[in-house]
Amino acid sequence: MRLAPAASQTGDRSRKRPLLHSLPSYHGWYAALWVLGPALVFLAIWANVMPGLVTGRVLQDPAAAALPMDAMSRSAILSEARNIAQGNAQAAFDPRANALIEPYRSANRFYSLGGALAALMLALAGGAFAFTRIRPDFRARTKVERVVMSALLLASLIAIVTTVGIVGSLLWESLRFFSMVSPLDFLFGLKWSPQSAAMGYGNENAFGAVPLFWGTIFIGAIIAMFVAIPLGLMSAIYLTQYAKPAARAWLKPMLEVLAGVPTVVYGYFAALTIAPNMRDFAAWIGIHNASSESALAAGLVMGVMIIPFVSSMADDSINSVPQSMRDGSLAMGATTSETIRQVLIPAALPGVVGGVLLAVSRAIGETMIVVMAAGLAANLTLNPFASVTTVTTQIVQLLTGDQEFDSAKTLAAFALGLVLFVVTLLLNIVALQVVKRYREAYE
C-alpha cells in the first residue's frame, strides 16, 4: 500500500519530463553544421577574393609607382614578387620585383589574419545560433538529414553540370570552326592538312576528316575487334564452362589485370616490339614499303588491351543464363560444346553485344597507343601495314603547344571532339539499351 503513492509520483514526473525528439548525436551534428558550414563557405570564397585584394593593396604602395605601364610587363613583375613572397621562388629575374616583396608579404598577412578572424566570428555566431535552437523537442534529425540530402543532390548534379559544360564548350567552339569551314567539307572531305591552312593556303580542302574517321574505325573497330572479340569470348567460355573453380579464381583476376595497365605501357610495347615485327613480317611476305608505324601494330595491341571489357561482359552474360536451359540441353543428349554453341551463346548474345559496343567506344577513344605505334599521317588506305591516324591523335596534335584559338587549325580539334563525343554517346546508349533488354529477359 505504501508503494502506490511513490509509483504515482514517479509517473507524474515522467509525464512532466519533455520527450527527446532526436538522438543527441543529431543535435551534435546540427551544431557542427552551423559551426563549420558558414566558416568553410566563407573561407572558400575568401580564397578566391583575397589574391585580388592583395594585389590591389600592393599597387597602392609607393614602391609600385616604378612599375611599367605595359600590362604584360607589370603582370610579370607582380607575379615574380608574389611567388617570392609566398616562398615559391628564391630570386626575381627582374630586379624591380624585389621592392614589392615586402608589400606582398604585409598584404598577405593582413588579409590572411582578417579572413581568419572573420571565419572565427562566423563559426562563433553559427555555434551560438545552434545553441539557441537546441531543445528536447527540436527536430534535429530532420534538419541534419535535409542537409545531407541536399549535399547528395549537389554531388549528383556536379556530373550533370560538368557534362552540360563539356557539351556547351564543344558546341560553341565547333560553331566557330564551322563558320570558317563548311560542315560538308569537314565531314566528307578526303584531305586532312591543317598545317597548310595555318601557313596561309586557305581553309578549303584542308579539313576533310574522312581519313581520320576511317583511321579510327580501321584501328579501333576493325583490327582491335578482330583480336578482342574472339579472345574475349573464348576466354569467357572457358572460365564459365570448362575451368575448375580454383583455376577460375586465379585466371579471371589475371585477365582483368590487363584493364589496369596504363595505356602508355601498351604504347611502348606496340612501338618497340610489335611494330618492328609487323614491318619485318610485311617484308617477309613481299610488302617492301611497309611503315615502321602501322595500323596493324596499334590495332593488335589495342585489341589485347580491351579483351577484359569483352570477357567480363560475356562472362556475366553467360553466367546469367538460367541453369534450367543448360540442364535441359544436356538432358536431351547435347554435348557441352553443342550446348554452348546452340543454347548459351544465343541466350547471352544481347549481353555479349553490349560488351562489344562498350569495348568499341573505349577503343575509339584511345590515344597513346595510336600516337606511339600508328603514326600521325592521315592516310585513307586499306593497307594495315601503312601509317594512319585517328581522331583523338589529331586532337592531341592540334592542341599541343601554344595555339591561337581564333584559327581554324586549333578550332578543328573541338569539331573532332564533338564528333567523337556524339559517336561514343550513341554507342554507349545502344549498348546500355541492349544490356537492359537482356537483363529484363532473365531477371
Side-chain angles (χ1 to χ4, degrees), residues 29 78 126 128 246 285 330:
W29 278 110
L78 290 173
I285 62 176
L330 296 173

Side-chain angles (χ1 to χ4, degrees), residues 76-423:
I77 295 172
L78 290 173
S79 178
E80 288 189 58
R82 180 173 59 252
N83 289 332
I84 296 174
Q86 294 175 353
N88 297 327
Q90 299 298 326
F93 180 78
D94 195 319
R96 289 175 292 185
N98 294 324
L100 300 176
I101 296 176
E102 192 56 37
Y104 255 112
R105 288 174 178 168
S106 176
N108 277 325
R109 286 194 297 267
F110 176 78
Y111 285 109
S112 297
L113 181 60
L117 291 176
L120 180 60
M121 295 299 295
L122 283 175
L124 293 176
F129 175 77
F131 181 77
T132 59
R133 298 291 302 276
I134 292 177
R135 54 185 182 274
D137 60 341
F138 180 62
R139 298 176 177 272
R141 183 183 65 185
T142 305
K143 302 293 184 181
V144 172
E145 290 180 349
R146 188 175 300 170
V147 172
V148 173
M149 185 181 301
S150 301
L152 295 176
L153 177 62
L154 180 62
S156 63
L157 289 177
I158 289 176
I160 300 175
V161 173
T162 302
T163 304
V164 172
I166 292 173
V167 175
S169 63
L170 285 176
L171 285 175
W172 176 255
E173 301 297 342
S174 298
L175 290 176
R176 293 178 59 194
F177 171 76
F178 289 129
S179 66
M180 305 176 188
V181 178
S182 171
L184 295 178
D185 293 340
F186 174 75
L187 294 175
F188 301 104
L190 302 180
K191 180 182 178 183
W192 178 261
S193 181
Q195 290 78 13
S196 62
M199 295 173 64
Y201 294 105
N203 297 334
E204 296 182 359
N205 301 324
F207 292 99
V210 170
L212 308 185
F213 300 152
W214 169 246
T216 303
I217 296 172
F218 193 33
I219 295 176
I222 297 179
I223 299 177
M225 289 301 108
F226 268 114
V227 176
I229 293 176
L231 294 181
L233 185 57
M234 287 189 291
S235 63
I237 292 173
Y238 172 75
L239 290 175
T240 56
Q241 303 301 315
Y242 293 103
K244 295 180 179 179
R248 176 182 169 84
W250 282 95
L251 293 177
K252 186 173 175 60
M254 292 174 63
L255 180 63
E256 293 178 348
V257 164
L258 292 175
V261 177
T263 56
V264 67
V265 176
Y266 284 110
Y268 273 118
F269 177 69
L272 300 180
T273 304
I274 302 300
N277 290 329
M278 291 298 101
R279 181 190 57 201
D280 297 339
F281 175 74
W284 181 68
I285 62 176
I287 303 176
H288 300 290
N289 59 345
S291 174
S292 59
E293 296 175 332
S294 63
L296 184 59
L300 290 176
V301 177
M302 191 181 297
V304 173
M305 181 189 70
I306 61 177
I307 285 175
F309 293 90
V310 179
S311 176
S312 296
M313 186 64 73
D315 190 314
D316 296 337
S317 302
I318 294 173
N319 277 327
S320 298
V321 176
Q323 184 64 33
S324 58
M325 297 180 67
R326 297 184 179 88
D327 297 340
S329 176
L330 296 173
M332 295 181 67
T335 63
T336 302
S337 60
E338 291 173 341
T339 301
I340 293 172
R341 291 196 311 271
Q342 300 179 16
V343 177
L344 297 183
I345 297 301
L349 190 60
V352 174
V353 172
V356 170
L357 292 177
L358 291 175
V360 170
S361 65
R362 171 68 178 86
I364 65 176
E366 176 54 38
T367 304
M368 288 304 301
I369 296 176
V370 181
V371 170
M372 302 177 71
L376 302 174
N379 295 322
L380 187 61
T381 177
L382 288 173
N383 183 9
F385 298 101
S387 176
V388 296
T389 190
T390 61
V391 171
T392 55
T393 303
Q394 287 300 309
I395 292 175
V396 172
Q397 187 179 15
L398 293 173
L399 296 180
T400 301
D402 297 332
Q403 303 292 339
E404 296 179 359
F405 281 83
D406 291 331
S407 65
K409 175 179 178 293
T410 305
L411 294 176
F414 295 94
L416 293 173
L418 180 63
V419 173
L420 185 65
F421 177 83
V422 171
V423 171

Side-chain angles (χ1 to χ4, degrees), residues 53-64:
L53 298 176
V54 170
T55 302
R57 186 180 178 91
V58 171
L59 291 176
Q60 295 176 0
D61 193 91

